[in-house]
Amino acid sequence: MPQKRNGQDYFEKAASYDVMANYYKYLDPSLHIHYYQKHLRALSKAFQAAIAEQRQIEPRNQSHGIIRVLHGSSDTPNVDVYINAIRVFRNLPYKQVSNYLSMPSGKYHLDIYPAEDQVNSILNKRITVEAGKIYTLPLIGVEKKLRMLTLQDQLDVPTGESKFRFIHLSPDTPPLDVAVVKGDVVFPKVSYKEATPYLGLTPMTVDLEIRTAGTKEVLLPLHELQFNPNEVYSIIATSSHQNERSFETFVIRG
């Protein structure tokens, strides 16, 4: 009987196929597409296996941690993410988060490049992955002064319930309150680079608003936010260059 592959096996196969796809990119377009598709399939299986492993194994017995990267820099183009010189996330755009990736615990070297540029890195960072922990790594700041934060995710949620948190990633925005429309503040005085604890709630559709901390001044309404059962959410505030406000928000799972 063939041995069942785990997430790390598929990750290694995906990295090999990515190397082959790059090799044939200009030599043979048909082989480039062939290996790139194999790379995507192996990467997809790696992510699926990683999530399955995370759900089945108690954290205290694990030798792996899980990471993902969040692109939160509005003036930075799509990026490729390399870990120990292997591309693991390709063409990640602003306001998007990568899939989760299971990794053996340990220290790693992470490099961020503009998409399809393997020469001019825009961020280099050492990261530590601890067994049984789940991380979101947000890119923040501007392209020439990018930084990366390390946030811990808590994906467990009681059956039938939901929960969410707020993450402030907008450098030019003062501390913020997150409140129910015309109601109480649920997350007070959240400063730049800060993530709140998760707040559990009954699944519902709710109208929230972001205020200047300590005041009733509404900076941004968040209407009809849907929180579904058995789901975890993060509301992200980032810098905006698209409107008169200094920041904008988007929602991700986890």
Side-chain angles (χ1 to χ4, degrees):
M1 178 181 294
Q3 184 177 3
K4 184 178 180 180
R5 293 188 179 276
N6 58 30
Q8 187 64 22
D9 290 335
Y10 283 119
F11 169 63
E12 291 171 357
K13 286 176 68 69
S16 297
Y17 290 139
D18 189 45
V19 170
M20 295 301 295
N22 284 327
Y23 176 76
Y24 285 112
K25 186 172 183 179
Y26 301 108
L27 294 176
D28 189 327
S30 63
L31 283 176
H32 166 70
I33 294 172
H34 170 74
Y35 282 110
Y36 180 58
Q37 290 174 339
K38 290 174 76 70
H39 163 76
L40 292 179
R41 286 195 294 268
L43 206 54
S44 176
K45 290 179 180 178
F47 295 143
Q48 293 170 13
I51 296 300
E53 290 166 7
Q54 175 64 19
R55 289 174 176 170
Q56 292 171 3
I57 304 174
E58 289 295 328
R60 62 179 176 272
N61 295 326
Q62 284 183 266
S63 61
H64 285 57
I66 289 181
I67 71 162
R68 64 178 178 174
V69 175
L70 167 66
H71 190 331
S73 173
S74 59
D75 76 337
T76 300
N78 294 8
V79 298
D80 290 341
V81 180
Y82 288 74
I83 296 178
N84 289 359
I86 298 174
R87 179 163 53 184
V88 295
F89 303 125
R90 180 195 294 262
N91 201 30
L92 184 66
Y94 170 56
K95 295 199 292 189
Q96 295 295 317
V97 64
S98 71
N99 290 299
Y100 281 110
L101 176 66
S102 177
M103 303 175 62
S105 59
K107 297 183 182 296
Y108 295 88
H109 187 82
L110 185 147
D111 297 293
I112 304 294
Y113 290 84
E116 302 304 327
D117 178 350
Q118 298 179 340
V119 177
N120 302 300
S121 65
I122 53 179
L123 178 68
N124 313 106
K125 183 177 176 65
R126 296 283 293 179
I127 62 171
T128 300
V129 177
E130 294 187 35
K133 293 187 177 180
I134 308 171
Y135 304 92
T136 292
L137 307 176
L139 292 176
I140 63 171
V142 296
E143 182 178 0
K144 293 184 179 180
K145 293 184 179 180
L146 272 186
R147 298 182 63 186
M148 176 174 280
L149 302 181
T150 300
L151 305 177
Q152 284 196 36
D153 300 349
Q154 301 292 334
L155 302 184
D156 57 304
V157 59
T159 302
E161 296 296 304
S162 184
K163 67 180 183 181
F164 77 105
R165 63 180 171 177
F166 180 71
I167 304 173
H168 188 334
L169 302 181
S170 179
D172 300 322
T173 304
L176 301 169
D177 288 345
V178 180
V180 177
V181 169
K182 298 181 180 179
D184 294 336
V185 173
V186 293
F187 296 128
K189 201 175 182 179
V190 186
S191 299
Y192 175 51
K193 298 188 291 186
E194 183 180 358
T196 70
Y198 288 94
L199 176 67
L201 74 167
T202 301
M204 64 177 72
T205 299
V206 64
D207 291 330
L208 300 177
E209 58 190 20
I210 297 179
R211 305 171 183 168
T212 302
T215 76
K216 296 292 185 180
E217 179 188 10
V218 177
L219 299 177
L220 185 66
L222 304 174
H223 293 314
E224 297 186 348
L225 290 176
Q226 180 69 47
F227 297 107
N228 294 319
N230 309 311
E231 294 287 355
V232 181
Y233 301 89
S234 293
I235 301 173
I236 315 293
T238 62
S239 295
S240 173
H241 303 299
Q242 304 301 318
N243 55 48
E244 67 278 4
R245 299 188 186 94
S246 64
F247 72 98
E248 58 184 339
T249 64
F250 59 98
V251 179
I252 61 173
R253 298 281 181 87

